[in-house]
Amino acid sequence: ETGVTQTPRHLVMGMTNKKSLKCEQHLGHNAMYWYKQSAKKPLELMFVYSLEERVENNSVPSRFSPECPNSSHLFLHLHTLQPEDSALYLCASSQSWSVTYEQYFGPGTRLTVT
Amino acid sequence: QKEVEQNSGPLSVPEGAIASLNCTYSDRGSQSFFWYRQYSGKSPELIMFIYSNGDKEDGRFTAQLNKASQYVSLLIRDSQPSDSATYLCAVTRSARQLTFGSGTQLTVLP
């Protein structure tokens, strides 16, 4: 595997379900990000992790819970989601968070909440 | 005012022409500027980044930055149908966080 990978690629879940999205980066980067992309809207930054420490949380509802067990892996735990949470969820990584470096994206998870 | 503004398009150009994509930003303290390409149903792919005023060329792509006017553009020379995608402009508000525009949809007509 190379670059940034995400699983699953597609997910359909009910509002009472609990599921998790997984991201893995094979680039040796120290920062990882979760973004939400809804139709016709800009990419929205949700969370930033730097060296496994959460450094940004952009007013994301508590039904989204991130976890970063090490610098290569990032999870997004989902529970009691709403239909408006349906979107493409993108993981990205960069060399460092403290200095601006370009970010590289994974293929995304297309989430549908029914 | 949006932090990063792009014309949503669609922008259509004939094959072989120059496509010009524009982006304006509101934060004068912005330091780094990125262009991403996103094909339908795919994730964003980094094309270019630029930090200093002026032009930066990479193959058929040229990024232009004018910090005084708070304006960054992307020129695609000899446009190909495979260039048809949505182009996202991203700007750092601080040293650490990218803010994205909504993107411009480009169609290159054969």
Side-chain angles (χ1 to χ4, degrees):
Chain A
E1 294 278 15
T2 58
V4 182
T5 58
Q6 290 185 244
T7 55
R9 297 293 305 277
H10 300 272
L11 178 63
V12 179
M13 60 186 289
M15 290 189 285
T16 58
N17 291 159
K18 289 185 180 181
K19 296 286 184 183
S20 295
L21 309 184
K22 178 183 176 182
C23 175
E24 184 173 0
Q25 59 95 1
H26 310 268
L27 300 168
H29 288 168
N30 291 324
M32 297 186 76
Y33 310 78
W34 278 117
Y35 286 89
K36 175 184 179 182
Q37 188 174 36
S38 304
K40 305 299 183 185
K41 293 176 68 175
L43 276 161
E44 301 172 56
L45 179 64
M46 300 175 72
F47 301 104
V48 181
Y49 276 81
S50 175
L51 296 171
E52 301 146 44
E53 178 183 349
R54 189 190 310 180
V55 293
E56 292 281 350
N57 177 348
N58 280 356
S59 303
V60 179
S62 60
R63 57 186 183 268
F64 295 91
S65 175
E67 178 190 1
C68 187
N70 56 63
S71 59
S72 298
H73 293 86
L74 185 64
F75 294 89
L76 187 62
H77 303 300
L78 316 172
H79 63 98
T80 59
L81 294 191
Q82 304 298 310
E84 60 264 30
D85 297 322
S86 298
L88 180 66
Y89 288 85
L90 291 160
C91 173
S93 71
S94 68
Q95 188 170 338
S96 170
W97 177 69
S98 60
V99 178
T100 300
Y101 286 102
E102 55 274 22
Q103 295 179 16
Y104 294 90
F105 287 84
T109 295
R110 174 69 62 185
L111 173 67
T112 302
V113 181
T114 60
Chain B
Q1 182 187 12
K2 295 179 182 177
E3 294 182 63
V4 180
E5 290 210 51
Q6 295 182 254
N7 188 329
S8 62
L11 172 67
S12 295
V13 299
E15 184 174 356
I18 296 175
S20 178
L21 304 161
N22 304 317
C23 173
T24 58
Y25 58 94
S26 61
D27 185 352
R28 282 197 170 276
S30 298
Q31 299 177 352
S32 304
F33 308 85
F34 302 84
W35 282 101
Y36 286 83
R37 176 176 63 198
Q38 187 172 25
Y39 292 112
S40 180
K42 302 293 186 182
S43 61
E45 170 192 11
L46 180 68
I47 298 176
M48 293 191 69
F49 54 88
I50 185 168
Y51 302 144
S52 304
N53 275 330
D55 295 359
K56 180 181 179 182
E57 188 174 318
D58 184 0
R60 296 186 296 113
F61 299 97
T62 299
Q64 299 175 317
L65 175 61
N66 184 326
K67 290 187 177 181
S69 300
Q70 295 174 243
Y71 175 95
V72 58
S73 65
L74 179 70
L75 300 178
I76 306 175
R77 290 182 299 282
D78 189 24
S79 296
Q80 302 296 309
S82 58
D83 295 325
S84 298
T86 296
Y87 289 81
L88 306 175
C89 172
V91 174
T92 51
R93 285 188 295 147
S94 66
R96 301 162 183 178
Q97 191 170 124
L98 281 180
T99 300
F100 285 83
S102 298
T104 297
Q105 184 181 343
L106 172 67
T107 300
V108 180
L109 303 170

